[in-house]
């Protein structure tokens, strides 16, 4: 008797250096025992030193890729990364609109690590209005959270207020990542959601800061890991905790790797698991 694997669809841009985007997503999903399907939104020319060119895939083709996967492989979760433009966001929304019950992890990629803008200014409004309300979980870093709400979030109080405003945009939960906090030996990711009474609940994930320059693709890796654990049936808090722990191990096992001349990738395959099936 055949066993059903655990498919996860990633919708994101391609990274020619292999450290972020679709490539990081596929490595992460596969390393955790999931089956990775992909819809590519853009092709980037980049390496560990930065992004040199970006070319969008047509919105029609983006939507066609999503529908092809959703109607046959039937993913148990979806991760959305780089969308780039308002037209692509419209295509993603249309492609997923018939599958509202599938958990969606939205990583609102706006600017690359090297500072290259990956989302057009006029697309942010569409992202907020169309994709954020579809998301089970939003995973912005601090600069992305600030851009979504339009104000600084340098203190914990400001961060909590930004999270509340993002939740009011309609997503199920928001994980504000602490990787851009520059001080201290520890980092804290904070997961926010509303309980049944409408009160905001905060879960804190504190972990040791790892001294490494190999941080390319950390956001893609984390969001894909969480999406994979959700596909495997983990509740949200547990999926986030396991995703954070996976990223920490991938960072730790990548400290002594030398890939490229700049910010290298994490070690996605430090302990690959066989494909999981039920």
């Amino acid at each position: 008797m055949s066993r059903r694997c655990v498919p996860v669809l990633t919708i994101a841009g391609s990274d020619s250096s292999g450290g972020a985007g679709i490539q990081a997503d596929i490595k992460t999903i596969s390393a955790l025992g999931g089956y990775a399907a992909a819809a590519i939104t853009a092709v980037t020319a980049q390496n560990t030193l930065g992004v040199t060119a970006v070319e969008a895939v047509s919105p029609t083709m983006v939507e066609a890729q999503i529908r092809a996967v959703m109607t046959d492989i039937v993913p148990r979760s979806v991760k959305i990364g780089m969308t780039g433009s308002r037209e692509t966001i419209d295509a993603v929304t249309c492609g997923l609109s018939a599958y509202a019950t599938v958990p969606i992890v939205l990583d609102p990629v706006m600017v690359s690590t090297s500072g290259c803008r990956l989302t057009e200014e006029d697309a942010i409004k569409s992202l907020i209005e169309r994709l954020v309300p579809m998301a089970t979980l939003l995973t912005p870093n601090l600069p992305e959270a600030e851009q979504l709400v339009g104000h600084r979030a340098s203190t914990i109080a400001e961060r909590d207020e930004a999270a509340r405003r993002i939740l009011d945009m309609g997503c199920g939960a928001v994980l504000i990542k602490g990787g851009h906090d520059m001080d201290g030996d520890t980092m804290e990711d904070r997961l926010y959601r509303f309980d049944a009474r409408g009160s905001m609940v905060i879960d804190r994930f504190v972990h040791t800061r790892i001294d490494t320059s190999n941080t390319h693709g950390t956001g893609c890796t984390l969001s894909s890991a969480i999406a994979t654990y959700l596909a495997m049936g983990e509740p949200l808090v547990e999926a986030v905790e396991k995703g954070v722990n996976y990223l920490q191990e991938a960072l730790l096992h990548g400290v002594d790797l030398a890939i490229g001349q700049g910010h290298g990738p994490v070690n996605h395959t430090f302990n690959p698991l066989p494909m999981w099936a039920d």
Side-chain angles (χ1 to χ4, degrees):
M1 181 176 173
S2 297
R3 296 183 302 150
R4 179 132 158 62
C5 67
V6 181
V8 179
L9 170 61
T10 168
I11 304 170
S14 171
D15 171 7
S16 55
S17 74
I22 285 285
Q23 287 82 350
D25 297 343
I26 291 173
K27 291 174 186 177
T28 300
I29 296 164
S30 300
L32 294 175
Y35 177 83
I40 298 174
T41 58
V43 177
T44 69
Q46 64 177 294
N47 53 31
T48 64
L49 298 173
V51 180
T52 56
V54 179
E55 186 169 312
V57 174
S58 75
T60 301
M61 188 60 184
V62 171
E63 184 176 350
Q65 292 175 83
I66 294 170
R67 291 189 181 276
V69 173
M70 297 301 289
T71 56
D72 177 35
I73 299 172
V74 193
R76 294 190 188 181
S77 70
V78 176
K79 173 262 170 82
I80 304 173
M82 175 186 173
T83 49
S85 70
R86 178 177 52 80
E87 293 79 9
T88 299
I89 289 169
D90 290 344
V92 172
T93 304
C94 291
L96 294 175
S97 60
Y99 308 95
T101 60
V102 177
I104 295 174
V105 178
L106 174 60
D107 185 21
V109 178
M110 297 178 184
V111 179
S112 71
T113 303
S114 61
C116 176
R117 174 163 292 281
L118 299 175
T119 298
E120 297 172 3
E121 286 286 354
D122 67 349
I124 296 174
K125 185 172 184 290
S126 291
L127 184 84
I128 293 170
E129 292 178 349
R130 305 209 65 186
L131 285 184
V132 170
M134 296 177 68
T136 306
L137 174 68
L138 206 69
T139 61
N141 57 33
L142 281 173
E144 289 163 347
E146 291 173 343
Q147 193 159 3
L148 285 169
V149 299
H151 67 73
R152 293 279 294 169
S154 54
T155 68
I156 293 298
E158 291 171 340
R159 196 174 309 179
D160 292 350
E161 177 57 28
R164 182 180 296 277
R165 290 185 58 187
I166 293 171
L167 286 173
D168 287 339
M169 295 173 185
C171 60
V174 57
L175 177 70
I176 298 184
K177 299 170 290 189
H180 284 71
D181 288 330
M182 298 309 293
D183 299 323
D185 296 327
T186 61
M187 294 162 49
E188 180 179 283
D189 303 321
R190 294 169 74 87
L191 175 66
Y192 303 84
R193 64 196 192 283
F194 290 136
D195 64 17
R197 296 173 297 176
S199 299
M200 190 166 71
V201 178
I202 306 173
D203 294 283
R204 301 166 60 243
F205 303 92
V206 180
H207 41 89
T208 302
R209 184 183 299 277
I210 297 171
D211 185 15
T212 177
S213 62
N214 292 332
T215 57
H216 184 51
T218 49
C220 306
T221 299
L222 177 59
S223 54
S224 295
I226 296 170
T228 304
Y229 286 120
L230 287 173
M232 292 177 174
E234 294 285 354
L236 178 64
V237 176
E238 286 79 358
V240 171
E241 182 177 23
K242 287 187 173 184
V244 169
N245 290 340
Y246 168 77
L247 176 58
Q248 283 296 104
E249 289 295 318
L251 281 163
L252 186 61
H253 284 83
V255 167
D256 60 352
L257 298 180
I259 300 175
Q261 302 170 63
H263 291 283
V266 305
N267 184 354
H268 296 93
T269 54
F270 65 90
N271 183 31
L273 300 175
M275 188 177 292
W276 195 88
D278 49 29

